[in-house]
Each structure stands twice: as structure tokens, then as C-alpha cells.
């Protein structure tokens, strides 16, 4: 199964997940929030946005029920739900993740979700994922 492969740009995000923390970039110049990781601010182009702790809570902005695996190793792991979660505490940036629970559950745009840290300490190297669930 595909695993996280942090690089120099995304290392802080993945390290935060391993510690049970959600980190999102925020520009120290203009205070713009952004995700995914970038070397510079999308708004003012200042380099090295800071990583800031935010609550792993959001609202479902969009969703999709996936029937076909996105990778050969995921054959037999469907269907599953993918959600686009908007983070009000982080300037409404959005991130993609899985919605835990019954893959046939009803999903409502605007519904609140809570982040769940899924740790894979046995993997080499160890990694963590952020999944979403209804509170």
C-alpha cells in the first residue's frame, strides 16, 4: 500500500502528524494560510511560510465515494469515502482525506468532521496519516 514519502518541503507536516498535531503553513508577512506545503507564500511571495498548529476540525466542502482503487495495492479496499475538508481555524484552507466509517453512509456538505491521527509505527520508516470522522 502506498505510504507517505516526506521531502524537505513536507517534512514538518508529516512530523507533526507523527506527534498527533496538524500543522498548516501561514505566512509570517501577510498572515495568509495555505495548504499543501509550498516554499513561498501564494499571496505575497515571501519565502518560508511558518508551520502553525491548528485544531484538526473542519467542515466537509466536497466528497466522493471511490469505487475503483487509485493504486494496484489498494485492490479490494473499496469502496471508501474521500472528503475535501475546509479548516475554519486555518483561513478556510482545504485538505483531502478519507472519511472513516461505513463507506455507504450519507455524506452532507457542511457537516463537521474531526481529525483522527492514524499511526503506523510498525512501518519502515514509521508514518502517520490524518483521517476524518464525524464527531
Amino acid at each position: 500500500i502506498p505510504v507517505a514519502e516526506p521531502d524537505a518541503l513536507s517534512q514538518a507536516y508529516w512530523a507533526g502528524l507523527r506527534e498527533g498535531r496538524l500543522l498548516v503553513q501561514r505566512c509570517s508577512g501577510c498572515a495568509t494560510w495555505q495548504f499543501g506545503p509550498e516554499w513561498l507564500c501564494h499571496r505575497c511571495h515571501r519565502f518560508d511560510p511558518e508551520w502553525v498548529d491548528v485544531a484538526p476540525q473542519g467542515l466537509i466542502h466536497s466528497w466522493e465515494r471511490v469505487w475503483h482503487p487509485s493504486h494496484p495495492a489498494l485492490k479490494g479496499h473499496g469502496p471508501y469515502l474521500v472528503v475535501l475538508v475546509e479548516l475554519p481555524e486555518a483561513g478556510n484552507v482545504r485538505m483531502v482525506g478519507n472519511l472513516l466509517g461505513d463507506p455507504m453512509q450519507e455524506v452532507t456538505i457542511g457537516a463537521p468532521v474531526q481529525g483522527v491521527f492514524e499511526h503506523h509505527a510498525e512501518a519502515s520508516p514509521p508514518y502517520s496519516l490524518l483521517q476524518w470522522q464525524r464527531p
Side-chain angles (χ1 to χ4, degrees):
I1 292 179
V3 298
E5 294 184 26
D7 57 16
L9 178 58
S10 66
Q11 180 62 38
Y13 171 76
W14 294 107
L17 294 183
R18 296 260 344 259
E19 297 170 0
R21 299 165 51 212
L22 174 56
L23 299 174
V24 177
Q25 285 184 317
R26 187 172 193 189
C27 180
S28 59
C30 70
T32 296
W33 293 91
Q34 62 188 36
F35 190 85
E38 294 287 348
W39 292 114
L40 60 104
C41 172
H42 294 173
R43 184 170 178 226
C44 74
H45 305 269
R46 183 178 180 147
F47 281 98
D48 297 323
E50 298 175 333
W51 289 97
V52 178
D53 276 287
V54 298
Q57 301 170 343
L59 304 171
I60 296 175
H61 181 78
S62 185
W63 67 279
E64 180 176 1
R65 186 170 287 117
V66 179
W67 294 91
H68 302 286
S70 60
H71 188 279
L74 296 174
K75 185 177 181 181
H77 288 272
Y80 57 93
L81 292 168
V82 175
V83 288
L84 180 62
V85 176
E86 191 170 81
L87 304 174
E89 188 178 305
N92 295 321
V93 296
R94 298 173 186 151
M95 58 177 45
V96 175
N98 295 323
L99 182 64
L100 300 176
D102 181 356
M104 301 309 291
Q105 67 185 288
E106 183 178 327
V107 181
T108 305
I109 302 297
V113 287
Q114 175 74 39
V116 175
F117 298 95
E118 180 182 288
H119 302 289
H120 295 269
E122 74 290 346
S124 181
Y127 67 96
S128 297
L129 299 173
L130 178 63
Q131 308 281 18
W132 298 96
Q133 69 181 7
R134 294 177 182 209

